[in-house]
Structures are given as C-alpha cells and as structure tokens.
C-alpha cells in the first residue's frame, strides 16, 4: 500500500471513528430533539427561546448517555473503557451547559422539566417493584418514549413562550406523539435479535409485518388529524404531507436485518428533514382556515 493510499485509509478510518462516536454519544439524537423543538416554533410562529432549545439539546446528550451507559450508578462512575470514558466526559460537559441554560427559563417550564425528569428516572432506573423500570416493559416502552419526546418538543416550548395551551397545541402534541411512535418502529424491529422474549415488544407480540402495518396506519392518523386544527398553514400541511409520505416509505423498507446505520442515523435524521421542510416552506405559509 502506497503512502497516499495509507494516508487516505487512515483519514477514512478516523472519520469512521468520529462518526461512530457522534452516534454512540447521542449527539445525533440530540439534534433530532432540537429539530422537533424548532418545528414547534415554526408551527406556532412563536419567538424561539434559545435557552430552552440549548438546554434540551445538551440535556438530551447527557440523559440519553446515562440511559444507555449509566443505568447502574457504579458503572457510570467507574468507567474503565477509554471510549466510554470519552462519552462520560462529553455527557458531564453537556450537563454543565444544560445547567447554565436552565436558570434562564420560567417557572412553568421548570415544572414541565421536573415532570419529565421524574418520568425519565422511572423509565431508566430500577425504582419499580422487582427492580424493574419502564424501559424493561417492552409493551409500553415506545409509548413512554413518545410521551417524553412530545412533551419535551411541544409542551416545553409552549410553556416557555407563555402562550395559551390551546386546542391546536393539544392536536400538535398528539401528532408529535404519533410521529415518534412511527420512528420507534424500525428500532423495535432492529432490536428483535437482542430483546429478551419476556419483554413482549410490539414485534415480538404481533410480528414484524403487523408492526409495520401499525406504523403505516399511525402515519395516516398523524397526517389527517392536522385538519382538526383551528388554524392550518400551507407550510404545515405540505411539510406534514411530505413527511408522512416519507414515513410510509420507511415502513415499507424497514427490515428485520438492517444495515448498521439504518436506524441509528437515517431514521433519527427524519426530524432534521422535518425541520428542513418546515424552514424551507415557512415563507410561503399562509392561513388556510
């Protein structure tokens, strides 16, 4: 192998390691959370609260890494692996930044964050009987995740903006809940090979095909309840129509044996595309009803 080829190989290997760290350290999922928060600001045409969305971004990194790597407190403190130690350091750094931004939020937002922290704790920590947590209850796990995401990306921005919790906000919260449910389907199918039978996840109970049908039906509901809103913009309607088509295709192409980055990168990129669509169409959005 020549020097140039060796240098190219090393650079590609370095990029591969950086990309894997980006995914493993939950930075990508934090960008997904941030994107959905920005979708909420665009949907309701409210001023962005920079302190809130930076708090949600950095706290998402810390919380997701804690759930993935630090459910056991001793394991999280005593990290022997250098790679995981780097993730731990990044998590603590992000937690410090999140703690700075949280001081600038209003009281109502504090209450919402507290509720979400309690729910996240019940989800991750063995505080339930027989040392179980909500995460170990496969049948309801995806609903808990969808509930937390919808509350964090819709309700918290509304609380921080001091606007009324209107009918349209309720509809949007439910839509966000359905949106995250659909995004969870490829992960549930991917994890079939790892999940213990007693978890009784959706694919374990109803099979891969029925789980995908559930995702496709949920996608239809996600789009059509847009018309229940009192105020609909062309931007919102087109963006949700396009993202619904994309979710429908996702249900079709999702397989049990997935490529390495299918769920962890491509599926988790859909919120970023959702925000990109909303942003690109926002200047043409006018009230329809």
């Amino acid at each position: 192998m020549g020097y140039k080829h060796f240098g190219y190989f090393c650079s590609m290997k370095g990029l591969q390691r950086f990309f894997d760290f980006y995914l493993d350290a939950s930075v990508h999922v934090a960008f997904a959370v941030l994107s959905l928060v920005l979708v909420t600001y665009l949907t309701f045409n409210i001023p962005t609260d920079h302190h809130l969305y930076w708090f949600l971004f950095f706290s998402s990194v810390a919380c997701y890494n804690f759930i993935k790597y630090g459910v056991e407190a001793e394991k999280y403190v005593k990290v022997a692996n250098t790679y995981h130690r780097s993730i731990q350091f990044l998590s603590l750094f992000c937690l410090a930044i999140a703690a700075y931004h949280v001081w600038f939020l209003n009281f109502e937002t504090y209450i919402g964050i507290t509720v979400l922290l309690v729910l996240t704790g019940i989800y991750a920590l063995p505080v339930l009987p027989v040392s179980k947590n909500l995460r170990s209850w496969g049948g309801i796990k995806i609903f808990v995740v969808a509930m937390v995401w919808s509350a964090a990306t819709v309700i918290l921005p509304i609380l921080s903006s001091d606007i009324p919790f209107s009918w349209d906000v309720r509809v949007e919260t439910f839509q966000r809940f359905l949106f995250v449910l659909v995004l969870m389907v490829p992960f549930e199918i991917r994890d079939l090979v790892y999940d213990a039978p007693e978890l009784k996840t959706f694919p374990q109970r109803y099979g891969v095909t029925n789980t995908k049908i559930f995702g496709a039906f949920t996608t239809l509901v996600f789009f059509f309840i847009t018309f229940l809103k009192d105020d609909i913009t062309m931007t919102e309607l087109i963006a949700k129509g396009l993202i619904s088509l994309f979710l429908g295709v996702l249900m079709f192409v999702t397989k049990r044996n997935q490529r390495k980055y299918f769920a962890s990168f491509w599926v988790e990129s859909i919120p970023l595309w959702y925000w990109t669509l909303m942003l690109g169409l926002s200047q043409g959005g006018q009230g329809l009803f």
Side-chain angles (χ1 to χ4, degrees), residues 69-175:
Y69 307 110
V71 175
E72 300 174 15
E74 183 178 354
K75 178 181 176 183
Y76 198 59
V77 174
K78 299 177 182 179
V79 181
N81 186 286
T82 303
Y83 186 74
H84 288 161
R85 192 180 299 120
S86 299
I87 294 176
Q88 181 192 50
F89 176 80
L90 176 65
S91 301
L92 294 175
F93 176 74
C94 289
L95 186 61
I97 298 178
Y100 165 77
H101 285 286
V102 78
W103 290 109
F104 298 93
L105 305 178
N106 61 27
F107 180 73
E108 290 77 10
T109 309
Y110 286 150
I111 295 175
I113 291 172
T114 301
V115 173
L116 290 180
L117 285 176
V118 171
L119 189 57
T120 302
I122 296 174
Y123 174 81
L125 299 173
V127 296
L128 299 178
V130 201
S131 297
K132 288 187 176 182
N133 52 36
L134 290 177
R135 192 185 188 193
S136 65
W137 295 8
I140 66 171
K141 180 182 71 174
I142 60 173
F143 296 101
V144 175
V145 173
M147 187 188 311
V148 171
W149 275 61
S150 59
T153 63
V154 179
I155 296 178
L156 289 187
I158 296 300
L159 291 175
S160 72
S161 301
D162 292 320
I163 66 173
F165 201 76
S166 64
W167 168 254
D168 285 357
V169 172
R170 294 185 178 93
V171 174
E172 182 67 25
T173 303
F174 184 57
Q175 281 187 296

Side-chain angles (χ1 to χ4, degrees), residues 14-252:
L15 287 174
Q16 179 73 42
R17 288 178 178 176
F18 176 81
F19 183 68
D20 286 339
F21 182 81
Y22 167 79
L23 296 178
D24 293 340
S26 306
V27 179
H28 191 57
V29 72
F31 275 117
V33 172
L34 177 61
S35 297
L36 292 179
V37 173
L38 295 174
V39 166
T40 299
Y41 286 125
L42 289 171
T43 299
F44 294 102
N45 193 27
I46 54 180
T48 56
D49 185 338
H50 296 80
H51 290 296
L52 176 66
Y53 70 64
W54 285 127
F55 165 77
L56 287 173
F57 175 82
F58 289 108
S59 62
S60 294
V61 174
C63 287
Y64 261 87
N65 287 338
F66 177 75
I67 291 171
K68 288 196 292 185
Y69 307 110
V71 175
E72 300 174 15
E74 183 178 354
K75 178 181 176 183
Y76 198 59
V77 174
K78 299 177 182 179
V79 181
N81 186 286
T82 303
Y83 186 74
H84 288 161
R85 192 180 299 120
S86 299
I87 294 176
Q88 181 192 50
F89 176 80
L90 176 65
S91 301
L92 294 175
F93 176 74
C94 289
L95 186 61
I97 298 178
Y100 165 77
H101 285 286
V102 78
W103 290 109
F104 298 93
L105 305 178
N106 61 27
F107 180 73
E108 290 77 10
T109 309
Y110 286 150
I111 295 175
I113 291 172
T114 301
V115 173
L116 290 180
L117 285 176
V118 171
L119 189 57
T120 302
I122 296 174
Y123 174 81
L125 299 173
V127 296
L128 299 178
V130 201
S131 297
K132 288 187 176 182
N133 52 36
L134 290 177
R135 192 185 188 193
S136 65
W137 295 8
I140 66 171
K141 180 182 71 174
I142 60 173
F143 296 101
V144 175
V145 173
M147 187 188 311
V148 171
W149 275 61
S150 59
T153 63
V154 179
I155 296 178
L156 289 187
I158 296 300
L159 291 175
S160 72
S161 301
D162 292 320
I163 66 173
F165 201 76
S166 64
W167 168 254
D168 285 357
V169 172
R170 294 185 178 93
V171 174
E172 182 67 25
T173 303
F174 184 57
Q175 281 187 296
R176 193 66 52 82
F177 174 83
L178 296 178
F179 175 78
V180 177
L181 271 185
V182 177
L183 290 186
M184 291 288 292
V185 168
F187 290 93
E188 292 289 286
I189 293 175
R190 180 199 64 181
D191 292 342
L192 267 173
V193 68
Y194 310 109
D195 289 336
E198 57 268 20
L199 284 180
K200 301 186 185 303
T201 63
F202 254 68
Q204 287 175 336
R205 286 185 175 186
Y206 307 110
V208 172
T209 300
N210 287 333
T211 301
K212 292 167 66 173
I213 292 173
F214 165 77
F217 175 76
T218 304
T219 299
L220 290 175
V221 178
F222 161 76
F223 173 70
F224 282 108
I225 63 174
T226 305
F227 295 99
L228 295 179
K229 285 189 169 184
D230 294 327
D231 184 25
I232 310 173
T233 65
M234 184 65 74
T235 295
E236 179 182 1
L237 194 60
I238 295 175
K240 285 181 176 174
L242 291 174
I243 210 69
S244 296
L245 289 174
F246 198 83
L247 291 174
V249 173
L250 177 67
M251 293 300 99
F252 178 77

Side-chain angles (χ1 to χ4, degrees), residues 4-18:
K4 290 185 177 179
H5 292 89
F6 179 76
Y8 175 78
F9 174 78
C10 289
S11 63
M12 291 301 295
K13 192 173 182 180
L15 287 174
Q16 179 73 42
R17 288 178 178 176
F18 176 81

